[in-house]
Coordinates of all heavy atoms in Angstrom, one line a residue:
C135 N -72.7 -80.0 -40.1 CA -73.0 -78.7 -40.5 C -74.3 -78.7 -41.3 O -74.4 -79.5 -42.3 CB -71.9 -78.1 -41.3 SG -72.3 -76.4 -42.0
C138 N -73.5 -77.2 -45.1 CA -72.8 -78.0 -46.2 C -72.9 -79.5 -46.0 O -72.4 -80.2 -46.8 CB -71.4 -77.5 -46.2 SG -70.3 -78.0 -44.9
C156 N -67.9 -75.2 -38.3 CA -67.6 -76.0 -39.5 C -66.5 -75.3 -40.2 O -66.6 -74.1 -40.6 CB -68.8 -76.1 -40.4 SG -68.5 -76.9 -42.0
C159 N -67.0 -75.0 -44.7 CA -67.7 -73.9 -45.5 C -67.5 -72.5 -44.8 O -68.2 -71.6 -45.0 CB -69.2 -74.2 -45.6 SG -70.1 -74.2 -44.1
Ligands
ZN175 ZN1 -70.3 -76.3 -43.3

Side-chain angles (χ1 to χ4, degrees):
C135 175
C138 73
C156 177
C159 63

